[in-house]
Amino acid sequence: MDEKFKLTTSSPIDFINLKNKLTASDAHSQKLKAILKESQLQLLCEDNQNTSICQKLQWYSDLIDYMLKFLWQHYLGTEKTLCLIAVGGYGRAELFPYSDIDILILHQTEFSMLLTHKINNFLKTIWDMGLIVGHSVRLENDCLQQSRNDLSIYTNLLEMRIIIGDQSFFENFLQKFQIEYHWKNSTFYKAKENELMTRQLKYSETAYLLEPDLKYSPGTLRDLHHLKWLCLQHFQTIDLHCLTTKNILDSADFQILVNAEKVLGEIRYALHQINNKDDNRLFFDKQLQLADWFGYQNTENKKAVEDFMRFYFIQIKEVRALHEIITHYFYEISLLNNKTPINLDNTYELIGNLISIKKHIKISENPELLLQTFLQLGHHSTATGFTAGTLVQLRKHLYLINDAFRKNPMHQKLFINIFKTRCVFTILKEMHHHKILEHYLTEFEPIVGQTQYGLFHLYTVDQHILFVIKKIEYLKTENSLYQKIFETLEQPELLYLAALFHDIGKGRNTDHSNYGSNAALEFAKQHNLPEKQGELIAWLVKKHLFMSQVAQKQDINDKKIIAAFAKTIKNIKQLNYLYLLTVADIQATNENLWNSWKDSLLKQLYYATHSCISSLPSKNDKLQQVKLKKQTVLAQFQPTTLEKINALWAQIGDDYFYKEQLQHIYWHTCELLHANFSDKLVLVSTQNHQEHGATEIFIYCKDRDDLFANTVLLLDRLQLNVVDAKIITDQNGFCLDTFSVLNREHKTITELSILKNIELTLSTELSKKRPNPRVMKRHLSRQLTHFTNHIELKFRTSGHPPLTKLMIQSTDKPGFLAAIGSAFRELHIRVQNAKISTIGTEIEDVFYICDQQNKPLKNRAKQIELAQCIKHYLYK
C-alpha cells in the first residue's frame, strides 16, 4: 500500500458535550444546523487527518445516528410499533461527509393524520439542519411486498440496521424479510449481474475514462458494494473477511482488496472536502488538487497528477481483478452448482463456460500452467474465462515467474504462441488483470496505470496497448482494405508483438519509440525469433508514429513527399504491417477523434506509397508528371473544349498540377469552363466524395489581402471544421482555393440543402466589396477551458519565391482557425498556402504567408506583433 495512505486512529467526538448542546437547542433547526456544522468540522479537523477511513466513516455515521435519535425522541418518542432504520451506505455505517442520509420509517399499522404530521416535522427538521435525506415511509406489509419485486428495495433492506424505535417490531420485521421474502441466490445473482453490466456500460463511456467517477466507474466503490451485497445475500454478513474464511480469496489477495477499499475511501473523503458536496467525479482540476492533497510532487519525468492518477488506476485494476474472482465464485455456486464438468484433457475441465485446472494438478509442480492456462481460451471457443479457484491458484503462484522461468524455452514458446491464437486480446487482458503479463514481461510493469494528462489519450498506457491489439483483431475481420491487407501478412503475430511494444517506453525520460524498439529487439533475441522477424518488430515500434505524422502533417499529393516516405518504408511488406498498426493505434487512442478524413488520408498515403514502391520509380521528373496529369484529365473532355481548357491552364503554374489530385483538376476545370470571368467573379463549388472523407469547397476569385481570413471566418460561422486547405494563385491574380471541411460531428456533409447554403453564403459574402464576418463566440467545454493555455508559434523564411513559414502548435478549441484568420486580416497578412493538421486535440498548422507587397515577414518586430495578435484573438 502507498505510504501516503497509511493511516492511524485518533479521538472521536465528545458526545456528552454534544448531548448538552442538543438538549439546549430544543430542536430548533438553525441551532441544530450550527451544532452539526461544528461537529462536522471537528471530524474533519487536522487532528483527525491520520485516522483510518473506516473509523472516520463510522464516526460520521455515529454523529448522524445521535442527532437523528435526539430528533426522533423529540417528535416521535411516544409512538409504538414504529422505528427508524438506516439503509444504503448509511446502513453499512459508511457515511461520507456530504453523502445522502438514506432512512426508512417503518410502521405496523396505518398512519394517522397526527403521526403523519409528526413524521413530516421530523423530516423537515432534518432537511432544515442541512442534511440531504433519501427517505421512504412504509407500512410493514407494503415494504415486504415491494422488496419481493424491486431489486433496489430488497438490496437496501439487506443492509438495514435500526437506529431507534420499537426493537421487537424491527426484529419481527427482520425475521419475516430473511425467511419469507428472501430472494433465491440464483435470482439475486442474475439481477445484480444485469445491474452491474448496465452500470459498467454507462461508466465506461469516454467522459468517465478521462475523468472517472470514484463511486460508479468499473473497479471503484460500487464494485466493492456489489461484493458486499453478494456476501450479505449468501453469508448474511457484510464483512468481506468472510471471503478468506470461505476460502474464496487467500490472505494476500484479501489484504490487497482491503487496502484498495481504504485508498478509494480516502480519495472520496478528500474529494468531498475539496468540493464541499457529494460529487464523486475526478474532474481534471480535482485531479490536480487531490495530487497536491496527498503530497505528490512534479518530477523531471512525470507530473504529480500523473503519478497520483497512476496510483488510482492501479487500485481500481486490483479491485476489478478480485471482483472478477469473487463474482465468478458466486456465479459458480448460484448457477453452475449442478453442472457436470466437461473433460478437456488431463489438466483442464470446462464447468459451464469457465475453464478450471483439475483439483489434483499442482501449479507448483507444473509452472508452465501460468501461461498454458491462458492459451486454453484460444483452444475452446465456448470458454469465456476461468473459475474462481483457478484464478486464485494462478495468482498465488506468481512468485514462480522469475528469471529462470522467463528464460525457459518452453515458457518462451508458450508466450509467443499466445500471439498466434484467435483471441490475443482476451488472453492478454486476462493475463494483465491477474498480473501474469507484467510478471512475465517486466518492461510492461512501469506502464501499468500510467496516464498522460490531457484530452487526447483516453486510456492508461497499458490499457491503450491492449486496445490496439483488440483493434487489430477487429481490422482483420472487417470486409475492407484492412482485411485484405491482413490476409497478406505472413506472420500476423509480429503485428501483435509490435503493438505490445509500441508504447512500452512511455513514462520514461527518453524517446519512447526508440526505447520500445530496443526492448522489442531484445525480446525477439531472448525468445529466439528469427533475426528478420525481430528486426521487423523493432522497426514497426520505432516507426509507429511515422505514417500518421506524414499523412496529417505533410502534403501527400506531393510526389517528392511520397517518394521520401516510400524510401523509408522500403517494401510492401513493411508498408502493410505499418499501415494496420497505425490505424489500430489511432483508433485505440481516442476512437471519437477517428473520422473519415483521417481514414482517407492514411488510405491515400498507403495507395500512393504502394504504387511508388511497386513501380520502383527513378527520380521524379516534375515536368513529365505535370504533362501526364494534363493528358489524363484532357482525355475526359470533348475535343471542342480543349482550346478553352488549355487557355485556362496556361494561367496556372505547374505546382498546381504537380501537387493536385487528378479528380480535383477535373472538378476545378469543369467549374471554370462554365464561368463568366471578371474581377468580380466569386465561384464557389462543393463536392462530397466519401472516399476522401471530407466535404471539399472550391473557391475561385480575385485574390485580395483578407480572402483567406474572411473565408475561414465564414466557414466558422457555418459551423464547419477546416481539416485541410490548398491556396494557389494563378498568373492573373486569381485564387484557386480548396478547403476540406467536416461538420461539428467530424463527418462529411451529405445534405444537398446544406451544401447549397454553403455555396450561397460564401459566394454572397465574398462578393461584397468589404466583407466583415466576425468571430463567432463559442462556448468552451469545461475540459477544453482547462487545456487551452498552450500555444507555440515559430517563424521561418524559406522557398522560391521566399515566404514566411508560420508553424502553430496549440490545443484545439472551437473557432481556432477563425481566430487565426482574424489576426491575419487585422495585420493585412496574405496566405499563399496552408496545411491544417489536428492530431487528437493538438493543432499543428502551417501557413505560408507574406505581407501586402508579397514579401516575407523577416522583421522580428512584425513577427512578434502577429504572434501577439493571434494570441489576442484566441484567448480574448
Side-chain angles (χ1 to χ4, degrees), residues 559-560 619-631 653-655 657-658:
K559 300 300 181 183
K560 292 180 181 178
K619 285 190 175 180
N620 288 297
D621 184 348
K622 182 176 178 179
L623 292 177
Q624 183 64 30
Q625 289 188 28
V626 168
K627 182 179 178 180
L628 181 61
K629 280 190 175 182
K630 287 182 176 181
Q631 290 175 346
D654 284 347
D655 270 353
F657 294 97
Y658 180 65

Side-chain angles (χ1 to χ4, degrees), residues 13-24 35 38-39 42 66:
I13 285 175
D14 182 351
F15 282 102
I16 295 176
N17 186 35
L18 177 61
K19 178 181 179 181
N20 293 333
K21 290 180 180 180
L22 290 173
T23 302
I35 294 169
E38 181 185 353
S39 299
Q42 187 178 346
Y66 200 88

Side-chain angles (χ1 to χ4, degrees), residues 705-765:
D705 294 346
D706 55 1
L707 178 61
F708 176 85
N710 289 332
T711 302
V712 295
L713 284 164
L714 288 167
L715 293 174
D716 182 64
R717 196 171 83 184
L718 290 165
Q719 299 192 47
L720 300 173
N721 290 315
V722 178
V723 293
D724 195 19
K726 292 187 181 72
I727 314 296
I728 294 175
T729 306
D730 69 16
Q731 295 175 14
N732 290 331
F734 275 78
C735 283
L736 296 90
D737 296 350
T738 305
F739 293 86
S740 298
V741 300
L742 300 172
N743 64 19
R744 291 300 179 192
E745 287 72 44
H746 304 287
K747 297 179 180 179
T748 54
I749 299 119
T750 56
E751 296 86 347
L752 184 61
S753 60
I754 297 178
L755 292 172
K756 292 298 180 185
N757 182 54
I758 292 170
E759 293 176 357
L760 179 61
T761 300
L762 288 172
S763 58
T764 302
E765 293 297 319

Side-chain angles (χ1 to χ4, degrees), residues 464-523:
H464 163 68
I465 286 174
L466 293 177
F467 286 146
V468 172
I469 290 171
K470 184 179 183 180
K471 288 294 178 183
I472 291 172
E473 288 188 330
Y474 177 73
L475 294 179
K476 76 177 182 182
T477 63
E478 265 197 359
N479 185 22
S480 66
L481 173 64
Y482 307 134
Q483 184 186 41
K484 293 175 183 176
I485 294 174
F486 195 93
E487 290 171 352
T488 70
L489 302 185
E490 295 175 6
Q491 292 98 19
E493 66 271 16
L494 304 185
L495 180 60
Y496 289 118
L497 284 166
L500 182 65
F501 279 91
H502 84 284
D503 271 355
I504 213 163
K506 286 282 182 75
R508 296 173 169 91
N509 190 23
T510 186
D511 181 279
H512 81 278
S513 297
N514 285 333
Y515 184 96
S517 178
N518 293 331
L521 194 59
E522 184 63 26
F523 170 88

Side-chain angles (χ1 to χ4, degrees), residues 263-395:
V263 169
L264 294 176
E266 272 296 319
I267 297 174
R268 187 184 181 199
Y269 195 83
L271 192 59
H272 274 216
Q273 294 185 66
I274 289 170
N275 289 326
N276 290 316
K277 61 180 179 179
D278 184 15
D279 190 341
N280 302 299
R281 282 287 297 280
L282 292 178
F283 293 116
F284 285 120
D285 57 331
K286 305 308 176 187
Q287 292 175 20
L288 290 169
Q289 290 176 266
L290 286 165
D292 182 63
W293 182 287
F294 290 110
Y296 286 87
Q297 296 181 344
N298 291 330
T299 64
E300 185 180 351
N301 296 337
K302 292 180 185 176
K303 297 176 182 177
V305 66
E306 291 178 345
D307 267 345
F308 168 74
M309 290 305 293
R310 179 176 187 236
F311 179 69
Y312 164 80
F313 281 117
I314 287 174
Q315 303 309 308
I316 67 170
K317 177 180 179 291
E318 297 282 21
V319 172
R320 293 189 75 174
L322 296 172
H323 183 272
E324 178 186 348
I325 291 174
I326 298 163
T327 53
H328 277 203
Y329 169 83
F330 286 114
Y331 169 63
E332 292 165 40
I333 64 172
S334 297
L335 301 174
L336 301 181
N337 211 19
N338 297 320
K339 286 276 185 180
T340 302
I342 299 172
N343 184 62
L344 298 178
D345 56 31
N346 293 333
T347 306
Y348 301 101
E349 59 189 9
L350 191 66
I351 304 175
N353 55 353
L354 301 179
I355 294 168
S356 178
I357 297 176
K358 292 180 178 179
K359 291 182 179 179
H360 69 278
I361 302 294
K362 295 182 180 179
I363 295 178
S364 59
E365 297 174 1
N366 304 276
E368 69 277 4
L369 298 184
L370 288 164
L371 297 175
Q372 183 178 291
T373 300
F374 292 95
L375 271 167
Q376 296 300 308
L377 288 175
H379 299 329
H380 306 287
S381 58
T382 58
T384 59
F386 307 96
T387 60
T390 294
L391 290 174
V392 169
Q393 287 301 307
L394 290 169
R395 292 170 64 92

